[in-house]
Amino acid sequence: SYPEGPFTLRTLWSAAWLDYKLGNFAEARKLFLDLAAKDPTENRARYWAARALLKIQPDLKEEAQKEFMQILELDPLGYYG
């Protein structure tokens, strides 16, 4: 978990995105979920956490689909909804 501060959310996003792009999908998912827990409006992090889940275990499509549906329920008109 990252310490609290004015750049916490931005730092979490950057670290998670970097891990995702480097293929460190488990760490990226953990950081995306941490970001989503700190900011309930962070649907972009939820989306990429679900995408990371599919990279980690492609056979967990149903679980990822549930996560995508949660995003849709939280923000049906948003970019990730």
Side-chain angles (χ1 to χ4, degrees):
S1 179
Y2 277 75
E4 296 300 320
F7 300 106
T8 299
L9 300 179
R10 187 179 307 181
T11 301
L12 269 173
W13 170 260
S14 295
W17 187 244
L18 180 61
D19 274 326
Y20 187 91
K21 295 302 276 182
L22 291 173
N24 302 327
F25 301 116
E27 182 62 19
R29 179 170 167 76
K30 178 183 155 301
L31 292 173
F32 284 134
L33 292 174
D34 193 17
L35 176 56
K38 289 182 183 301
D39 181 358
T41 66
E42 189 52 81
N43 291 321
R44 147 184 88 158
R46 285 182 184 79
Y47 173 85
W48 287 103
R51 293 283 303 262
L53 177 62
L54 290 173
K55 295 283 190 178
I56 297 164
Q57 281 192 279
D59 60 318
L60 290 179
K61 288 181 185 175
E62 287 183 30
E63 180 63 31
Q65 185 65 31
K66 287 178 189 174
E67 292 182 20
F68 290 131
M69 292 305 294
Q70 286 176 343
I71 298 165
L72 181 61
E73 290 170 11
L74 288 169
D75 190 13
L77 301 177
Y79 182 82
Y80 291 96

